[in-house]
Amino acid sequence: MQGQRRPVRSEFAKKQELLRRVSPTAHPMSDLDRANDDRVLARVGYLPQFRRRLGGFAVFAAGFSYLSILTGIVQNFHLGYREAGPAFFWTWPVVFGGQFCVALCFAVLARRYPFCGGVYAWSGRASTPAWGWLIGWVYLASLFVTLAAVALAWQVTLPALWPRFQILDTPAQNAALLGIALIAFSTFLNALSPRWVSLLMSIGVVVELVAAVALAVLLMGHAVRGPAIMFDTRLVRATNELGAVGPLLAAAVMSAYVMYGFDTAGTLAEETIDPRRRAPRAILQALLAAAGLGGFLLVGALISAPDLADPLLSDGTGGLPYLITQVLGEPLGKAFVGAAALAVFICTLAVHATAVRILFAMARDRAVPFASRLCQVHPERRTPHVAAIVVGVLSGALLLVNVNFEQFMTTLVCVSIVWSNLAYVLTTGSLLWSRLRGRIPMGDSYIGRWGLLVNVAAVVWSIALIVNIGWPRERLYGAEWYERYAALLFSSVLLVAGIVVYRVMRRGKGR
């Protein structure tokens, strides 16, 4: 009848519904049987297109490379110290506790749904295709921003390593130049060969683990005070916002920036041997290793700093690289700053690889514009080369904004945290929804009878973290109203744009 139309389900929705109904325990897999791994994909309508090369350590390396304590702590130590002094250390264990609840939920989802795409793939099967699409959209945007923000970290390390790396006049301009060069190199490697990316990440993680332990031990060996300094609140500025607690909440941006991205192991599930066993373990192991080593390093830095009142400790041109060189001397200090520069490179590769898999997974489901091109996999190299190039170009373009707006560097960091954790809370929320509806058991192999409680804690924690990081603080975002409310404004634009794109895709456009 005219005026009445039967709703037409898109190919994306149909495929998501089929995948969501697949029982995660219907196809047991042996540890090393790649054929059985791929058979899971064939049963749900996916053609296996990647080579399964990643073993346990390689998957752990991917997750740890994204977390990369020598990137995040080195890049943002000055932010935490500027806000709360030595007491900012306590934001580290608090953020870890909350994020570990999220990681436990992700381990459950990675075990049940071993598909490329991470949070996008998990949430679409645990809840609804539309919900999964929204999460994929938000997380993909956060990865573009994160990739640009991580690439900016070369400005913190390379000029400290060799002054001639300061090529352009201003730090903002030079940061953009170095960041674009780094993203270009990452794009080349991610488009060329997943094998080389995996090998470089594994080598880089070994170097970073050794360097982080050695650095923490050496700093502790040069201690000039005891660990009681971490309880010293004399440098915490009381504010009108929650008194002395306000600076500690602002200082949490450093810890929050390091401790996300542990879901990377699940994103690479279709390149992992026995992903149901290895991906969940790698998610938890990566976060535990980063939290433990990062806390160790922070203690070493705080007890060895010659002068806690030194203003350069709170300045982007100084920070942790300055402290390391000051304590260990020029040659040894520069060696560790060089290790940090390598960690930035490896972290960039990991973030880039994760963004590529999210974009590929959404394109494979015809859930993004130009899907037929973006889901292409090179027949010989087995890499989604078109998606790798698109991710590199879009992230590099973000850095051009930093040339004229230096505050944009800090804003990038904060917005990437907000968007990533927004995707996280939507994902853990979908798991909670499935638990309450009885589609996923209340207990499971990773959380046991505490599954529901941990799931609720993960949702509440992520909401609190988003509100805290997105709070319109002038010292983090800038003085102008549109800078202070950047997280809220950008998030609103992102969600509205996502709704528009989703409606267009549902109508079959842009395929």
Side-chain angles (χ1 to χ4, degrees), residues 201-220:
M201 284 193 294
S202 296
I203 294 173
V205 163
V206 172
V207 173
E208 183 168 4
L209 288 170
V210 172
V213 171
L215 177 59
V217 169
L218 287 172
L219 289 175
M220 288 183 173

